[in-house]
Amino acid sequence: MFRVYPEGWKVKAMFRMAGAAKLAPAILSLSILASSPVLVQANPAQATIGTVKLVELTRQGQEAYARIHQGGPFPYQKDGTVFGNRERILPAQRRGYYLEYTVRTPGTSDRGARRIVCGGQPAAPDACYYTGDHYASFRKIVN
């Protein structure tokens, strides 16, 4: 996701940061950049989270989701541990609100990249999110 900034924003910002006298030669070279809008990647916290229907998850995803709502048992030691939301893609909540669970990936010897992250009470979460790319993106699980 990208945000478009108005023309000249880089030049004005650089003037404020370093002063006009130091930047006079650089401003001439930046005039080309300032003549068109600039695309800058937006904050991931502002990214929209899509949805995925429970029936669209893999069989392993559906099984993990069912185990979460049953309160376990969980096959991996890290299942049910706090997810810190350091990527800031999920809605902001207090620390400890989100817990992560592994979605088994056939053919891997480790936990793989697939997870379900749920917020709220462990066996009765407010919302659960699926990631197939180890927290780079999330989709809210809907029935």
Side-chain angles (χ1 to χ4, degrees):
M1 189 174 263
F2 292 91
R3 179 179 295 146
V4 178
Y5 285 91
E7 296 180 10
W9 76 274
K10 277 189 173 183
V11 173
K12 291 175 187 172
M14 292 181 78
F15 256 95
R16 281 186 225 117
M17 291 183 340
K22 294 179 183 176
L23 290 176
I27 291 170
L28 293 175
S29 63
L30 284 174
S31 63
I32 295 170
L33 290 174
S35 64
S36 61
V38 178
L39 293 178
V40 177
Q41 189 161 3
N43 182 345
Q46 297 171 346
T48 57
I49 297 175
T51 60
V52 60
K53 291 183 180 179
L54 179 59
V55 297
E56 295 174 340
L57 290 178
T58 63
R59 179 177 51 81
Q60 296 86 3
Q62 293 174 23
E63 290 169 356
Y65 186 83
R67 274 193 305 275
I68 292 165
H69 284 80
Q70 294 167 1
F74 301 108
Y76 297 92
Q77 185 177 1
K78 291 202 66 151
D79 287 347
T81 60
V82 172
F83 174 73
N85 196 22
R86 286 185 288 277
E87 299 80 4
R88 296 183 182 168
I89 297 173
L90 297 180
Q93 292 288 345
R94 63 174 167 68
R95 176 144 177 83
Y97 178 79
Y98 291 113
L99 303 178
E100 70 171 278
Y101 303 89
T102 306
V103 175
R104 192 174 61 78
T105 304
T108 61
S109 58
D110 59 10
R111 292 174 62 214
R114 304 187 302 178
R115 304 282 188 278
I116 292 177
V117 175
C118 294
Q121 296 298 315
D126 300 331
C128 292
Y129 302 87
Y130 174 78
T131 178
D133 52 18
H134 204 259
Y135 320 123
S137 65
F138 288 91
R139 293 182 290 165
K140 185 176 182 178
I141 301 171
V142 295
N143 288 324

